[in-house]
Amino acid sequence: MTGPAIERTVSGLRERVRSWRRQGRTVGMVPTMGALHEGHMALVRAAQAECDHVVVSIFVNPAQFGPREDFHAYPRDETRDATVLAAAGSDLLYAPDAAEMYPPGFSTRVHVGDLTEDLCGGSRPNHFDGVATVVTKLLMQCAPDTAIFGEKDYQQLLVIKRFVRDLNIPVEIVGGAIVREADGVALSSRNAYLSASERKIAPQLYEIISQVAVDLAQGRGADDASEAARFKLEAVGFRVDYVAVRDPETLAPLHGPVETARVLAAVHLGKTRLIDNVAVPLNT
Ligand code: AMP
């Protein structure tokens, strides 16, 4: 099977996109950090359904990792990723190296206020600046009609929608539903870090936040439901970073009874940090 074409430079990427544009074709983009799984591939299929051509980018972005985080350990396997993309009929893999993305003298940051102040922004300082900067660059480099991001990283999706709006970047941002294992664990490249015994505990994250969504739909107050969830998460062996009930558009904290909301959680299990979220009402 022939793999997808691979471009490693901004100029090569732009050349390809230009030739598609000359033929009147639309372009979709799916930015990733590689170690592709079904969650990524669902986004690729959604992009293929909407656009004539799809660019999948793979770039493990150093700027979004903290100094004590897993940048060096992050799983990388471009050969396998290219095979997976070829099987999905994807036409272009864009895989720049760090020097292409951050040439000497690089000194610009995209900072989104407000939405980034807590949740993952609270526990990962500078993370969202790194994400916003690299995604801005990827969108400017490729200039797609549509770019697709997973709801798995719900706060990230809202941050991206916000700077795209604020900076008038001409692209439609689309969110893709979370893809899960049969036992409820959200697919993540970081699941590979879990030991066998940790993997047995992992499904309870989704179970417990889903129960929060059910309780909220039955009228339980947001503070009360999230406190109960924190207690349960700790009891089964997670170290809780946060579990929160938020407005689904603004991420503003909610306290009493709610009609619509998002339940978001980040936990540590051994050395692995897991995030997940669900809608209230569930499955919306
Ligand atoms: P990553 O490679 O982890 O940076 O993820 C690349 C894109 O895939 C992001 O938009 C993620 O939100 C999305 N993604 C990752 N895991 C999942 C999943 N289980 N379901 C849906 N989207 C996902």
Side-chain angles (χ1 to χ4, degrees):
M1 188 185 313
T2 55
I6 301 182
E7 290 292 352
R8 301 195 184 277
T9 63
V10 177
S11 59
L13 171 66
R14 287 195 167 143
E15 185 120 341
R16 276 207 198 249
V17 172
R18 244 193 320 269
S19 81
W20 292 333
R21 294 284 182 209
R22 274 197 293 270
Q23 300 162 50
R25 303 277 166 78
T26 56
V27 180
M29 183 173 211
V30 180
T32 80
M33 297 203 300
L36 300 179
H37 51 62
E38 248 322 287
H40 299 116
M41 297 319 289
L43 304 183
V44 172
R45 287 191 296 274
Q48 286 171 328
E50 194 153 326
C51 300
D52 299 319
H53 292 282
V54 174
V55 178
V56 176
S57 65
I58 296 182
F59 180 63
V60 185
N61 175 32
Q64 71 189 68
F65 288 79
R68 278 176 298 281
E69 292 184 354
D70 57 343
F71 174 68
H72 293 290
Y74 198 84
R76 291 167 174 85
D77 190 346
E78 189 185 288
T79 309
R80 184 192 152 276
D81 287 346
T83 310
V84 170
L85 289 173
S90 169
D91 26 21
L92 184 62
L93 167 58
Y94 175 51
D97 66 13
E100 182 72 5
M101 289 303 262
Y102 300 115
F106 186 89
S107 55
T108 301
R109 286 280 173 280
V110 178
H111 174 76
V112 178
D114 175 33
L115 283 173
T116 61
E117 269 146 34
D118 67 353
L119 303 175
C120 285
S123 37
R124 304 184 71 189
N126 305 321
H127 169 68
F128 285 116
D129 283 9
V131 169
T133 303
V134 83
V135 174
T136 300
K137 285 174 65 68
L138 290 166
L139 294 175
M140 304 306 259
Q141 291 168 352
C142 178
D145 299 282
T146 305
I148 309 206
F149 296 86
E151 288 183 348
K152 160 84 184 348
D153 300 272
Y154 192 80
Q155 187 177 14
Q156 167 176 287
L157 175 62
L158 294 186
V159 166
I160 292 167
K161 284 185 172 166
R162 180 70 61 89
F163 74 71
V164 162
R165 188 203 69 177
D166 289 354
L167 299 177
N168 305 105
I169 300 177
V171 62
E172 183 198 7
I173 301 298
V174 172
I178 301 176
V179 178
R180 301 179 178 282
E181 304 276 11
D183 63 5
V185 172
L187 295 188
S188 164
S189 309
R190 290 191 167 98
N191 291 349
Y193 301 152
L194 297 172
S195 69
S197 61
E198 289 165 351
R199 182 62 188 76
K200 289 204 183 100
I201 296 171
Q204 305 212 42
L205 173 57
Y206 177 55
E207 229 165 83
I208 291 168
I209 62 172
S210 297
Q211 189 57 50
V212 173
V214 169
D215 291 348
L216 291 169
Q218 290 173 354
R220 191 169 185 182
D223 282 336
D224 186 28
S226 55
E227 259 323 293
R230 173 180 288 272
F231 183 79
K232 282 194 229 166
L233 287 164
E234 278 167 0
V236 299
F238 296 109
R239 198 153 50 77
V240 178
D241 182 350
Y242 62 79
V243 50
V245 178
R246 296 297 178 90
D247 179 281
E249 305 297 329
T250 65
L251 294 182
L254 301 172
H255 299 289
V258 300
E259 282 199 354
T260 59
R262 201 88 191 179
V263 184
L264 304 109
V267 297
H268 293 270
L269 190 52
K271 62 181 169 55
T272 310
R273 185 173 185 273
L274 301 175
I275 59 172
D276 203 348
N277 66 86
V278 295
V280 181
L282 270 173
N283 306 319
T284 51

